[in-house]
Amino acid sequence: MQNDISTSKTEHFSLTEKELHSILSTALSRGGEYADIYLEDTRISSLELQDETVSQAQQVMLYGAGIRVVQGTQTGYAYTMDISPKAMHQAARFASSVPSTSAPIEIPALKPTPLLTQEVPMLEPVVSKSILLTINKRAHEISPLVVRVKANIAQRMQNIKFICSDGTGFSDHRPRTTLFISIVVQKDGKTQMGFGSRMYQRGAEFITPELIEELLQETVRQALFLFDAKQIAGGEMPVVLAAGSSGILMHEAIGHAFEADFIRTGESIFTGKLGQQICDKGITIVDDGTLPYDAGMLRYDDEGIPGQRTVLVDKGILNSYLHDRISASHFGVQSTGNGRRESFRHMPLPRMRSTYMCAGDATEEDIIHSVKRGIYAQTFTNGQVQIGAGDFTFFMKNGWLIEDGRLTTPLRDMNIIGNGPQVLQHISMVGNNLRIDHSAGMCGKGGQRVGVSQGLPTVLVDKLVVG
Amino acid sequence: MEQLNIAAEEIRHICPNADFKLVLMNNHEDNIIIRNGQIEKMMHASATSLAMNLLIEGRDGFFYTNNLTPAALKAFIHNAIETTRLLEPDEARTLADPSRYYKGDGADLQNFDATLSAIDPSKKLRLAKQNNQEGMQLSPDLISFQTHYTDRQHQAYYLISNGFQGFEQSSRCTLTSIATAESEDGQHPADGWGETRIFLKDMPSEGIARVAIDRTLRKIGSRPASSGQYRMILESPIVGSFLQPILNAMNGQYLHGKMSFLAGKLHQQILSPLVSIVDDPLIPGTRGACYFDYDGVATQRRSLFSKGVLETFFIDTVYANKLGIPPTTQGIHHLVMQCGSKTLQQLIAQADNTIMVTDFNGGNCDPSTGNFSYGIEGFLIQNGVIVQPVSGMNITGNILDVWQRVSDLGNDIDPWETELLPSIVFEDVSFGGL
């Protein structure tokens, strides 16, 4: 493991390398191929504006360590909030309780853990408060129909130290800042809501006046749009997915089914399809942990594997799954650096980072013009998929009816329903306008939530159920 | 308890005019996953943490930490007070009226298995292994058969500065089977079944695997049915999800935020006359049973809907102050819906042109209008017989309109759930499919 910035120790954990080595030895005392320790000291702060005032604050402090022992595909795990050597050895003994037939392995001397980044200062609460009051004032200025504003600035600083039984490890500071705005507009006795957010792994320096203006305009426009929008009779029809937040399709319908724990167990619909042509040659899909400041960016994953860019589908051919150490070992391949966990209270799983489809060469205009009657799906608010069957449902907050190649009627609140592999096969045009959606995207799996992003150029899906 | 007293003394020392609510929580958890006969994961955790609400002249901060060494705790409180003082006052943010606090004279609610965290993990492992073996023997051709055992012991000490001290505890253990099959067309249908108990000794050791496998195999070959109006049978385990938008709209936060489709509808008939639901947290031996809520306010049996009439909103102290109405309760604890007389099989037998919905797959309900769209899967029923598994469909409409069209109720509640809701029949529901 390379020393990226320095080898200085973080000040958050008092355990010495010798003590950590001893704890790893306890973890592997009853056998096991691999063990790791994940120490975490996290602070989360948020301030919220509602009812015209900044009257609510939250702060969360999480401190503890998770210890894992792996034998093949079996995992023993324990965590403790007391990181004294005594408590850590006790947790290590529980983690070691997974049955093992292998003899204890020799753990090399632990190397000093490289510190990957310097700590980023958190925003002073008084500055957050000032930004929130500005947002409130500006929202009312943008439209007199705005009757309620809610805004929140949340910052998380996760300080971690990771060490594993091959003697390597790292320390990292992982900042994450989220700005969330919701507004309520009223007209003629009717109420509509709009939401907007941005989330990056960095300090709050991205919250500029320009960003605030862009986000507010977007949020108010989205809410006002809904006054005139309609729902239409459902059925099967062509769907044009707009660039950006439609990338939820990549995440839900495709990405989850590429997570290699679902491949290892045979649950995923993509099991056994490695190397096969699964869609048109014009389609390339990537899961990327290298985008600077992105919510899914990882310098190292939570198993000590360097962050990287993984091509899932290369010109229509299934090129790789998303691996953590366990699935990589099972399949005899290198981990793709997708082992992630929410906190020390969770064991790592294969998880996505930033998942997107690469740009094609069609213009958005050409794609819309090609549709006789269908839907232009513009903004999605959530989605869900059943990994095994590949069936998904995405909720479209707003969009347009396409008639004779033109956007004619504003639409709202409709579901797009389909099947992941089938949708891939029915994508017939890919736009040249890839956009990564940096809204506050959290992905849930196995009771854990991690930050992700997703992206898509405008694409045409020849048929999907809309309702 | 020592940490609670340290925290209280520190707050009183630094900021004598602060009100506070302190909750010290102890949790123990065990998790075991077995797949295809092999242990996949074993996890054990014990955690102590402190949640704190600070109220300084209308300024309200929420703080949480699990670093409870005296030095860390004092630093945490200093920082919390400093942050709270930066806020702008909101006069509505007060503690509850002490006269509403639980007075501490209730009998044991019998909702805590004191032995759970001390039970030898090998006993829990045996239970999980037995379930997994049962599933593997019943259907060896499955792609995957997974058993998940999980349990949790929870204890919490409360200290509220205007005169409340309380202690509450609960436990649960859950044994779940998840089966994944493969159909001829390469699909991988999966479904599961689980049972939850308060005491481990009450957990059934057999039968869960069979239900999970049956539920999976019956989904093979699912496809969308034609779009149209159908009668809908909503299976008991997911009725709560379809009721949730209405419960949300009863919440003071939604009402105050102008985001509730129930504003102005108190005491009006908004659901079918067949729908009567109470929240009853005072039944010993049930999940969700409690004598007081998170504010320390004493709980009571409360009618939510009587023959379809909306009888209450969920108004806590803060939103009672904001809305200028009397407080009721923070929310639900143990829902009980009045049942019908028919089994689910009888409801199916009398059905025609009906879709029985067994799971939701995404979707939304607009809190301000009640208009919804949910992805669904289930079974098409013709002439009292299930003729086809369906998926890739959705239901749309207005949540109140649909709940007014309840035509029958089952008797199939699960007494071990926190929401005791039977299967329900709805007329004329819009299904989108082919």
Side-chain angles (χ1 to χ4, degrees):
Chain A
M1 205 170 276
Q2 296 300 306
N3 179 349
D4 290 4
I5 286 187
S6 75
T7 53
S8 65
K9 286 176 67 175
T10 56
E11 296 172 357
H12 298 270
F13 313 107
S14 56
L15 292 163
T16 64
E17 257 67 26
K18 188 178 173 189
E19 286 166 333
L20 290 167
H21 188 280
S22 171
I23 293 160
L24 284 172
S25 298
T26 299
L28 290 171
S29 59
R30 290 195 266 183
E33 299 163 349
Y34 168 88
D36 60 30
I37 300 172
Y38 181 90
L39 295 140
E40 178 179 1
D41 181 3
T42 290
R43 288 166 288 146
I44 304 168
S45 302
S46 76
L47 273 190
E48 184 161 296
L49 173 139
Q50 60 172 310
D51 303 330
E52 309 295 315
T53 63
V54 182
S55 59
Q56 286 190 80
Q58 281 198 20
Q59 286 185 356
V60 173
M61 319 282 273
L62 292 172
Y63 188 75
I67 301 175
R68 177 172 71 147
V69 176
V70 177
Q71 168 72 41
T73 58
Q74 299 181 285
T75 304
Y77 197 80
Y79 69 80
T80 174
M81 296 174 177
D82 175 358
I83 64 164
S84 66
K86 183 183 172 191
M88 294 281 283
H89 277 285
Q90 192 177 6
R93 273 191 290 278
F94 184 87
S96 73
S97 60
V98 164
S100 173
T101 53
S102 63
I105 62 168
E106 189 72 22
I107 303 169
L110 301 182
K111 298 169 189 166
T113 56
L115 176 61
L116 303 181
T117 55
Q118 299 300 334
E119 194 160 359
V120 173
M122 304 275 270
L123 207 57
E124 289 294 326
V126 68
V127 179
S128 292
K129 180 178 168 182
S130 168
I131 294 171
L132 292 170
L133 290 171
T134 302
I135 289 170
N136 185 54
K137 181 168 176 283
R138 183 64 191 133
H140 289 292
E141 286 170 358
I142 288 174
S143 172
L145 299 180
V146 172
V147 295
R148 190 159 186 267
V149 181
K150 194 170 173 180
N152 183 298
I153 295 174
Q155 287 199 287
R156 180 208 68 172
M157 174 55 78
Q158 189 181 41
N159 304 291
I160 59 170
K161 177 168 181 160
F162 172 88
I163 204 92
C164 68
S165 55
D166 67 8
T168 64
F170 67 91
S171 295
D172 200 3
H173 301 298
R174 293 173 171 175
R176 187 173 71 205
T177 303
T178 307
L179 171 63
F180 178 83
I181 298 172
S182 75
I183 56 125
V184 177
V185 291
Q186 278 188 338
K187 187 170 82 171
D188 302 331
K190 291 183 177 172
T191 301
Q192 301 292 353
M193 296 171 68
F195 304 92
S197 64
R198 295 287 186 275
M199 182 167 82
Y200 293 99
Q201 290 197 70
R202 61 190 305 186
E205 60 274 15
F206 72 90
I207 307 179
T208 60
E210 293 75 23
L211 183 278
I212 290 170
E213 184 67 18
E214 176 190 320
L215 195 55
L216 277 171
Q217 292 284 357
E218 180 183 310
T219 306
V220 173
R221 189 168 57 241
Q222 181 198 100
L224 296 177
F225 176 93
L226 298 174
F227 282 125
D228 301 319
K230 299 173 182 168
Q231 289 176 302
I232 59 166
E236 195 172 72
M237 61 186 76
V239 174
V240 176
L241 297 165
S245 76
S246 304
I248 194 168
L249 177 87
M250 289 297 93
H251 179 93
E252 296 288 352
I254 314 295
H256 275 301
F258 275 71
E259 290 167 342
D261 48 346
F262 297 126
I263 305 295
R264 175 173 63 77
T265 59
E267 293 168 282
S268 168
I269 195 75
F270 289 110
T271 302
K273 291 192 164 48
L274 193 65
Q276 293 183 19
Q277 186 91 34
I278 59 168
C279 54
D280 187 84
K281 289 179 180 172
I283 296 175
T284 293
I285 300 170
V286 168
D287 182 76
D288 199 339
T290 67
L291 300 180
Y293 305 126
D294 184 89
M297 184 268 292
L298 292 169
R299 284 174 283 274
Y300 280 86
D301 75 359
D302 297 328
E303 301 183 302
I305 305 294
Q308 53 200 276
R309 180 178 185 270
T310 307
V311 179
L312 303 179
V313 177
D314 187 10
K315 298 185 179 73
I317 294 172
L318 201 161
N319 180 67
S320 176
Y321 299 119
L322 298 173
H323 290 286
D324 64 358
R325 280 182 184 263
I326 290 176
S327 68
S329 172
H330 177 78
F331 287 108
V333 297
Q334 294 290 312
S335 170
T336 53
N338 289 88
R340 305 183 66 187
R341 55 178 124 197
E342 179 181 316
S343 75
F344 69 92
R345 295 183 291 194
H346 306 87
M347 59 183 86
L349 297 171
R351 305 296 298 268
M352 280 171 271
R353 299 162 299 201
S354 178
T355 314
Y356 54 87
M357 181 183 293
C358 296
D361 50 19
T363 65
E364 182 171 83
E365 291 72 25
D366 287 344
I367 294 172
I368 293 169
H369 287 162
S370 73
V371 177
K372 178 77 176 163
R373 188 177 190 281
I375 298 285
Y376 176 73
Q378 206 163 18
T379 308
F380 288 89
T381 54
N382 57 44
Q384 191 172 325
V385 67
Q386 299 195 339
I387 303 293
D391 294 335
F392 65 79
T393 303
F394 302 132
F395 189 73
M396 182 190 82
K397 191 61 188 168
N398 56 34
W400 290 84
L401 178 65
I402 305 173
E403 293 174 298
D404 295 325
R406 293 186 307 113
L407 306 180
T408 57
T409 307
L411 302 177
R412 55 168 297 181
D413 296 347
M414 302 189 73
N415 271 327
I416 306 285
I417 302 169
N419 178 275
Q422 288 172 13
V423 165
L424 274 182
Q425 289 172 359
H426 291 145
I427 292 176
S428 58
M429 296 180 82
V430 179
N432 58 6
N433 56 344
L434 167 64
R435 189 160 72 85
I436 305 291
D437 180 19
H438 290 292
S439 300
M442 299 297 289
C443 169
K445 175 182 172 184
Q448 303 189 42
R449 285 162 61 79
V450 297
V452 295
S453 71
Q454 58 240 340
L456 196 71
T458 302
V459 300
L460 171 62
V461 185
D462 289 335
K463 54 180 181 180
L464 274 171
V465 173
V466 177
Chain B
M1 281 297 286
E2 184 193 346
Q3 295 100 328
L4 213 57
N5 292 328
I6 292 173
E9 281 173 23
E10 193 68 12
I11 297 168
R12 288 185 181 116
H13 174 66
I14 301 172
C15 189
N17 62 339
D19 274 318
F20 57 82
K21 176 167 62 183
L22 301 172
V23 185
L24 184 71
M25 292 165 282
N26 291 319
N27 293 321
H28 298 277
E29 291 180 35
D30 274 318
N31 275 284
I32 299 167
I33 296 177
I34 301 179
R35 187 190 301 274
N36 300 342
Q38 188 187 46
I39 298 170
E40 191 167 275
K41 286 173 185 168
M42 286 183 69
M43 178 169 161
H44 170 80
S46 294
T48 302
S49 57
L50 177 75
M52 171 172 75
N53 280 81
L54 271 182
L55 275 164
I56 305 175
E57 295 171 343
R59 297 166 174 87
D60 180 12
F62 172 78
F63 306 89
Y64 173 93
T65 183
N66 64 15
N67 192 348
L68 299 177
T69 60
L73 197 51
K74 286 183 181 180
F76 169 75
I77 285 166
H78 276 253
N79 191 35
I81 289 171
E82 198 174 304
T83 301
T84 305
R85 280 176 169 156
L86 277 174
L87 300 172
E88 294 166 55
D90 178 349
E91 290 179 357
R93 297 198 171 272
T94 64
L95 296 175
D97 182 337
S99 69
R100 302 180 66 227
Y101 285 148
Y102 170 62
K103 301 297 186 283
D105 51 1
D108 180 11
L109 282 170
Q110 299 164 40
N111 61 346
F112 184 73
D113 185 344
T115 68
L116 201 53
S117 60
I119 290 173
D120 186 341
S122 63
K123 184 177 177 185
K124 300 169 184 177
L125 186 59
R126 271 201 304 279
L127 181 69
K129 278 183 172 173
Q130 187 177 344
N131 171 282
N132 203 259
Q133 280 168 3
E134 183 188 350
M136 301 285 287
Q137 285 166 3
L138 282 169
S139 194
D141 296 332
L142 291 169
I143 289 178
S144 164
F145 186 82
Q146 179 183 312
T147 299
H148 192 177
Y149 169 85
T150 176
D151 65 36
R152 183 171 186 263
Q153 260 187 351
H154 166 79
Q155 294 179 302
Y157 301 87
Y158 285 67
L159 179 59
I160 303 180
S161 59
N162 66 343
F164 179 75
Q165 286 189 57
F167 171 71
E168 53 117 356
Q169 58 185 4
S170 61
S171 67
R172 62 163 170 75
C173 41
T174 302
L175 186 62
T176 305
S177 300
I178 301 169
T180 305
E182 182 165 29
S183 59
E184 287 180 0
D185 61 356
Q187 297 294 307
H188 293 183
D191 208 339
W193 191 254
E195 296 280 352
T196 298
R197 299 290 185 269
I198 293 169
F199 295 88
L200 183 58
K201 65 181 174 57
D202 294 328
M203 180 63 73
S205 57
E206 290 183 358
I208 297 172
R210 178 180 292 278
V211 178
I213 291 169
D214 288 347
R215 290 178 71 87
T216 297
L217 296 180
R218 68 182 184 170
K219 289 168 71 170
I220 289 177
S222 71
R223 60 189 188 279
S226 301
S227 300
Q229 300 289 113
Y230 294 84
R231 176 184 286 179
M232 175 173 77
I233 298 175
L234 204 55
E235 201 185 27
S236 167
I238 60 165
V239 168
S241 299
F242 200 56
L243 182 64
Q244 194 59 49
I246 296 174
L247 298 176
N248 289 345
M250 294 165 67
N251 194 295
Q253 190 173 359
Y254 281 73
L255 292 161
H256 177 256
K258 306 182 197 312
M259 293 184 297
S260 171
F261 54 80
L262 292 182
K265 291 191 164 57
L266 192 62
H267 305 308
Q268 292 181 20
Q269 172 124 22
I270 61 165
L271 309 181
S272 158
L274 293 177
V275 178
S276 294
I277 302 176
V278 297
D279 179 41
D280 195 346
L282 301 178
I283 307 172
T286 60
R287 292 183 56 221
C290 58
Y291 281 122
F292 57 89
D293 64 17
Y294 189 70
D295 281 342
V297 172
T299 56
Q300 62 185 74
R301 187 179 192 274
R302 191 180 298 274
S303 173
L304 309 186
F305 299 97
S306 176
K307 296 180 179 173
V309 175
L310 175 63
E311 298 218 306
T312 192
F313 286 132
F314 304 130
I315 309 293
D316 66 8
T317 303
V318 171
Y319 284 97
N321 292 340
K322 283 180 183 282
L323 292 162
I325 58 177
T328 58
T329 184
Q330 282 183 322
I332 59 167
H333 306 92
H334 182 74
L335 276 194
V336 184
M337 185 169 181
Q338 191 171 316
C339 291
S341 57
K342 300 185 182 78
T343 64
L344 178 59
Q345 290 312 314
Q346 288 170 323
L347 293 178
I348 293 170
Q350 70 182 24
D352 188 27
N353 197 37
T354 298
I355 292 178
M356 177 170 71
V357 175
T358 56
D359 208 354
F360 290 114
N361 186 16
N364 268 70
C365 181
D366 186 321
S368 60
T369 64
N371 294 333
F372 69 84
S373 173
Y374 292 116
I376 63 103
E377 60 179 45
F379 299 87
L380 178 64
I381 301 167
Q382 300 289 10
N383 296 317
V385 177
I386 290 176
V387 295
Q388 175 199 325
V390 298
S391 61
M393 299 185 73
N394 71 338
I395 55 172
T396 55
N398 182 276
I399 197 91
L400 289 183
D401 288 348
V402 174
W403 272 94
Q404 283 181 346
R405 296 200 293 274
V406 172
S407 62
D408 211 345
L409 303 167
N411 62 2
D412 53 341
I413 59 165
D414 178 352
W416 295 102
E417 288 298 319
T418 53
E419 298 179 356
L420 278 56
L421 304 165
S423 295
I424 299 179
V425 182
F426 299 85
E427 301 296 327
D428 298 324
V429 177
S430 274
F431 282 78
L434 291 178

